[in-house]
Amino acid sequence: NNENNNVFGQIKTISQGKPITYLGNKINNSKEGFGINIWNNEAKYIGYYKNNKAHGYGRFIAGKDIYQGQFENDSASGYGIFKNGDETSYEGYWVNDSQETFGIEKWKDGAIYIGEYYHGKKHGIGTYNWPDGTRYEGQWSNNTFDGYGIYYVSNDRAYFGEWKNKNKDGFGEFVWPDRKYIGFYSNDKKNGFGISVWKDGHKAIVGFWKEGKQLGFGKFMNTKKTYFGIWNGNNQAEWFKSEKQGFD
């Protein structure tokens, strides 16, 4: 999945060997100012140097991978644009060859992420758009949904609430075209106290859920009456005459 991959990682794919060609300025046999470095695997750097290291604006090419932007001490640092052979791209800020602070990441299939990064991973506030129109807006940690966020499944279905490691976890609200659930989740399923309300207001269920199924004491309400009972895996097992009877 795109959202779980740090596509770029280290941008340098050159060998550890010495370059076979250097054309440019030198001071005391140290590369200084503008120059061109070419390695034996045809990787090359065109840009500025300081103290024998890429420093300032430059362009690094290794096969079909291209980085163009700011360098510091031989690493991509500052603002830059990276494109690789599979048409994936990142435009934004870097520190030591890793995406950092803020950027825009795009994939060949049309997916796009706009948001914050930390040490090369999506981390902070960001929005991820899938090609099919699905969208997540909210908090990220270590490349995945974590914290508060909104997940738009379609134009008429969405979840607003808390996440943990890409799973709905904590308090949230899931909205469907005809109803909504407001309550607690864990491990991506309804778990704990919650309320299901139908959109037209003609009925509602208040009670407890476990592993996504209604379980235990609860009540069902419609425009005419309120019913109390015990649910067992979404199947009402017993009605009570009153709420008090359920605790006797």
Side-chain angles (χ1 to χ4, degrees):
N1 294 328
N2 291 336
E3 68 274 20
N4 288 322
N5 292 325
N6 175 17
V7 177
F8 307 114
Q10 293 287 327
I11 67 163
K12 296 185 177 65
T13 58
I14 60 173
S15 68
Q16 298 301 312
K18 294 182 179 180
I20 59 173
T21 302
Y22 172 75
L23 301 171
N25 296 325
K26 283 188 175 183
I27 297 178
N28 296 326
N29 207 33
S30 175
K31 293 187 281 290
E32 195 78 27
F34 184 80
I36 300 173
N37 231 9
I38 301 175
W39 284 262
N40 54 12
N41 65 351
E42 298 183 357
K44 59 184 175 181
Y45 170 78
I46 305 168
Y48 289 88
Y49 286 86
K50 183 178 180 181
N51 295 326
N52 215 39
K53 294 182 178 181
H55 195 98
Y57 188 81
R59 182 180 176 92
F60 183 88
I61 303 169
K64 294 182 179 180
D65 298 344
I66 301 173
Y67 170 82
Q68 184 168 313
Q70 295 295 321
F71 283 82
E72 184 176 333
N73 293 324
D74 265 348
S75 297
S77 289
Y79 186 82
I81 300 172
F82 180 89
K83 296 181 180 180
N84 66 12
D86 66 1
E87 299 181 29
T88 302
S89 68
Y90 170 82
E91 180 175 353
Y93 293 91
W94 302 76
V95 173
N96 293 327
D97 289 339
S98 292
Q99 301 107 309
E100 199 77 25
T101 66
F102 184 83
I104 301 173
E105 199 167 343
K106 297 179 181 179
W107 287 264
K108 183 179 180 179
D109 63 4
I112 181 171
Y113 170 81
I114 303 172
E116 295 179 299
Y117 289 83
Y118 179 71
H119 290 352
K121 295 183 178 181
K122 303 171 191 68
H123 192 98
I125 303 297
T127 298
Y128 193 103
N129 291 275
W130 283 263
D132 63 1
T134 306
R135 184 171 81 254
Y136 173 81
E137 299 175 355
Q139 293 177 298
W140 294 72
S141 179
N142 197 33
N143 256 357
T144 192
F145 315 158
D146 203 287
Y148 182 84
I150 305 172
Y151 184 78
Y152 297 94
V153 183
S154 62
N155 290 333
D156 51 14
R157 289 196 300 153
Y159 170 78
F160 306 77
E162 295 177 292
W163 299 80
K164 185 177 181 180
N165 193 27
K166 204 186 173 183
N167 289 322
K168 295 183 284 291
D169 201 294
F171 187 79
E173 176 180 350
F174 204 114
V175 178
W176 292 267
D178 60 339
R179 68 193 189 282
K180 64 181 176 180
Y181 168 84
I182 304 170
F184 290 91
Y185 288 82
S186 65
N187 198 31
D188 216 36
K189 295 180 180 180
K190 288 177 272 192
N191 272 293
F193 181 77
I195 303 171
S196 284
V197 181
W198 274 252
K199 190 173 182 180
D200 57 13
H202 73 280
K203 60 181 179 178
I205 297 175
V206 180
F208 294 87
W209 275 258
K210 185 176 181 180
E211 295 294 315
K213 296 181 178 181
Q214 193 175 356
L215 188 67
F217 180 74
K219 58 183 178 180
F220 172 82
M221 298 172 285
N222 59 27
T223 55
K224 295 180 179 180
K225 193 175 180 179
T226 297
Y227 300 86
F228 303 93
I230 292 289
W231 275 261
N232 184 5
N234 279 346
N235 295 316
Q236 182 273 324
E238 181 182 356
W239 292 119
F240 298 122
K241 293 181 180 180
S242 67
E243 185 174 7
K244 182 177 181 298
Q245 182 185 354
F247 293 95
D248 291 339

